[in-house]
Amino acid sequence: MNWKSVLRRNRSALSAVGFVAAVVLILWAVNTPMLVGVAASKRDLPVYCVQRSDKLISISFDAAWGNEDTQTLIDILDSYGVRTTFFVVGDWVDKYPESVQALHEAGHEVMNHSSSHAHFSLLSSGEIVRDITACNQKIEAVTGVSPTLFRCPYGEYDDHVIQTVRSLGMTAIQWDVDSLDWKGISAQEIQRRVLDRVQPGSIVLFHNAAENTPEALPGILESLLADGYRIVPISELLLQGDCFIDSSGRQCRQ
């Protein structure tokens, strides 16, 4: 008997068994909910929505370029007694300080949407700090209040962006209901999208210069209020005390 030949065959068999075992182990690890959850929990996320049992939601507007409808939106919101959150770009503050002041005086939150609407994922942490700080200073110079909330330009972020925002003592805010008003869709379609998707704890995204938002907004507000929702600025929607952000971006109590 050629023992060397047998030994080689046995080694090959053992190697094959070891390879199969390794593959099985990897598949088990990837598909085990506990381990998947641990991996997902390591991501740094903004707040997309809030875990709430009461019918409390927030409406937000991003203001980066145009200003044609800002006062109209203020008047509509005031007629329904609704206060919201406007995320404004620093360059927009430079161009329209009177609108920033009008938003503040009407009781709306004026929060940070970056200084120049750059792609933050391409910036260093130092560049992000300088950009956010510059916008904070511009807003505070007009309103007397320094922002505590931040919305990433284009909704783009990664771990280093969110970590840098938090290092400034600010909270990054996303949304779970996108009106898509910036696409120029009809007022009826905007209404349908929002009302079909909103739920307790939702954060709704609009834009201050979208073509059909002023037409869509009254019907949305009337429907939400009639359905028992209360609409508050985002800082009032957020949970206080011990909480965490789950893998879907929902802020939850511990």
Side-chain angles (χ1 to χ4, degrees), residues 11 24 35 74 81 85 91 117 136 168 171 206 222 237 247:
R11 285 178 176 172
V24 170
L35 297 180
I74 291 174
T85 302
D91 291 347
H117 213 269
N136 279 348
L168 292 170
T171 302
F206 291 104
E222 289 171 10
L237 181 73
S247 59

Side-chain angles (χ1 to χ4, degrees), residues 191-204:
Q191 289 180 2
R192 187 191 65 78
R193 284 190 56 83
V194 172
L195 297 176
D196 284 353
R197 289 165 173 78
V198 76
Q199 58 185 329
S202 281
I203 297 173
V204 185

Side-chain angles (χ1 to χ4, degrees), residues 36-91:
V36 172
V38 169
S41 69
K42 292 181 180 179
R43 295 182 60 203
D44 285 295
L45 299 174
V47 174
Y48 280 76
C49 58
V50 179
Q51 183 184 55
R52 301 201 68 105
S53 56
D54 51 353
K55 300 185 79 169
L56 206 65
I57 64 168
S58 289
I59 286 175
S60 64
F61 296 85
D62 287 358
W65 293 286
N67 191 40
E68 300 82 359
D69 298 322
T70 305
Q71 187 57 53
T72 300
L73 295 173
I74 291 174
D75 293 341
I76 292 171
L77 294 166
D78 183 63
S79 68
Y80 289 93
V82 169
R83 293 179 300 128
T84 65
T85 302
F86 280 73
F87 289 94
V88 303
V89 170
D91 291 347

